[in-house]
Amino acid sequence: MIDKNIPIVFLAILPVYIDGCGSGTELIDIKGESVIIKSAVKSILKKILKEYVVDINALKNKYAKSLGIKNAIPLPLTRDFTLIPLKTRKPMVLKDSAYGYIYYEKIKKVFDNGISCTLDLGNYKIKNTSKESIC
């Protein structure tokens, strides 16, 4: 069973640094409310994928070749709930994640900020640190 603090449908899961703790995850629920979790994005994502009975390795094998990418692949969880990877920070340490995941179908508009982009998800806006990954 998924942790009671982790909803199975959300706008985004983003890597953040937590003072005194290190790397964690900001989870933005469907209403645009934010919760900080003291676990890495990868751990939270594994719990979510388990709830949806999704094997990330099988997804990578299926989509990586056809999309021409190896790691940052879209994760179609249901017909109307696809998570797309988005570079949202520059890692301080090699093992830290730079990528979060965004609910693709909830993206209302993308604003080009020159070297980055901002995604409007209706109740929440997310700044992307790498323009090439979405704009």
Side-chain angles (χ1 to χ4, degrees), residues 22-38:
S23 198
T25 300
E26 179 182 14
L27 193 139
I28 295 105
D29 72 15
I30 211 74
K31 296 175 187 172
E33 296 173 9
S34 175
V35 173
I36 303 295
I37 302 168
K38 294 180 186 177

Side-chain angles (χ1 to χ4, degrees), residues 20-83:
C21 292
S23 198
T25 300
E26 179 182 14
L27 193 139
I28 295 105
D29 72 15
I30 211 74
K31 296 175 187 172
E33 296 173 9
S34 175
V35 173
I36 303 295
I37 302 168
K38 294 180 186 177
S39 295
V41 167
K42 190 174 183 178
S43 298
I44 302 299
L45 188 60
K46 280 184 183 180
K47 289 179 183 180
I48 292 163
L49 294 178
K50 187 175 182 181
E51 191 70 19
Y52 280 96
V53 193
V54 172
D55 179 356
I56 194 160
N57 293 325
L59 277 176
K60 283 182 180 181
N61 290 337
K62 183 173 182 172
Y63 294 112
K65 203 173 204 178
S66 62
L67 295 174
I69 50 179
K70 291 183 182 180
N71 293 317
I73 61 166
L75 304 172
L77 301 181
T78 69
R79 185 173 163 171
D80 298 321
F81 185 36
T82 305
L83 295 176

Side-chain angles (χ1 to χ4, degrees), residues 39-129:
S39 295
V41 167
K42 190 174 183 178
S43 298
I44 302 299
L45 188 60
K46 280 184 183 180
K47 289 179 183 180
I48 292 163
L49 294 178
K50 187 175 182 181
E51 191 70 19
Y52 280 96
V53 193
V54 172
D55 179 356
I56 194 160
N57 293 325
L59 277 176
K60 283 182 180 181
N61 290 337
K62 183 173 182 172
Y63 294 112
K65 203 173 204 178
S66 62
L67 295 174
I69 50 179
K70 291 183 182 180
N71 293 317
I73 61 166
L75 304 172
L77 301 181
T78 69
R79 185 173 163 171
D80 298 321
F81 185 36
T82 305
L83 295 176
I84 59 166
L86 183 72
K87 189 172 184 180
T88 59
R89 73 172 181 185
K90 293 183 182 184
M92 293 178 159
V93 200
L94 185 64
K95 294 279 185 182
D96 288 349
S97 176
Y99 287 85
Y101 287 84
I102 312 299
Y103 186 163
Y104 174 74
E105 289 83 0
K106 293 292 183 184
I107 298 173
K108 307 285 186 215
K109 191 167 183 167
V110 178
F111 299 97
D112 185 344
N113 304 327
I115 59 169
S116 67
C117 293
T118 300
L119 279 69
D120 180 357
L121 302 175
N123 297 334
Y124 203 84
K125 290 186 177 30
I126 297 171
K127 187 175 179 184
N128 176 11
T129 61

